[in-house]
Amino acid sequence: MATATAAGSTVGFKPAPMALLPPIPLYRRLLRTHRKRLPREMRLLGDEYVKSEFRAHRDVENPVHIIGFLTEWQMYAQKLEGDNWLEEKLDRGKIDKMSGMYRQDYRL
């Protein structure tokens, strides 16, 4: 006798995770997106921040930390490539995770 299966159901369905870009292509994508989408002043600050964060995380060996780092930067790039980021503010948790100098600049 046939029984119902979850194959046709959408309960518990999770979208497929996005494929993470390797660090160097992601780094290039971020700088390219800044060049195309940001005004000059924002681009200068953004490029400096991206460069310093990738430099600071160059020698990280913890895979969980690496995946989290790349995921956040990839989501940032995708957000910039869309148009809904213009009036958006960062949430408090992300501001607290920023390096000291950049956190101070963002709050100004």
Side-chain angles (χ1 to χ4, degrees):
M1 181 163 209
T3 59
T5 64
S9 131
T10 58
V11 176
F13 175 74
K14 292 181 183 176
M18 65 179 163
L20 284 177
L21 289 173
I24 293 174
L26 179 58
Y27 176 81
R28 290 177 181 154
R29 177 180 176 185
L30 289 163
L31 296 178
R32 191 177 320 112
T33 303
H34 281 182
R35 188 174 58 244
K36 291 179 180 179
R37 297 293 207 151
L38 296 179
R40 180 171 164 59
E41 300 80 28
M42 289 175 72
R43 184 181 132 211
L44 294 174
L45 179 65
D47 285 355
E48 185 180 323
Y49 185 64
V50 167
K51 290 174 185 179
S52 70
E53 284 298 303
F54 272 75
R55 234 179 268 122
H57 290 82
R58 183 181 314 166
D59 298 325
V60 172
E61 295 181 9
N62 181 344
V64 173
H65 189 80
I66 293 168
I67 290 170
F69 179 79
L70 295 175
T71 300
E72 286 295 320
W73 279 109
Q74 189 161 324
M75 288 186 330
Y76 167 76
Q78 289 171 341
K79 187 171 284 194
L80 276 185
E81 289 166 349
D83 289 328
N84 60 347
W85 62 272
L86 293 172
E87 297 299 323
E88 188 173 318
K89 293 188 181 243
L90 287 176
D91 67 358
R92 182 83 179 150
K94 288 187 180 182
I95 293 171
D96 291 340
K97 289 180 182 178
M98 286 181 165
S99 301
M101 179 180 79
Y102 298 102
R103 180 178 36 235
Q104 182 179 2
D105 287 345
Y106 183 80
R107 289 183 178 163
L108 293 176

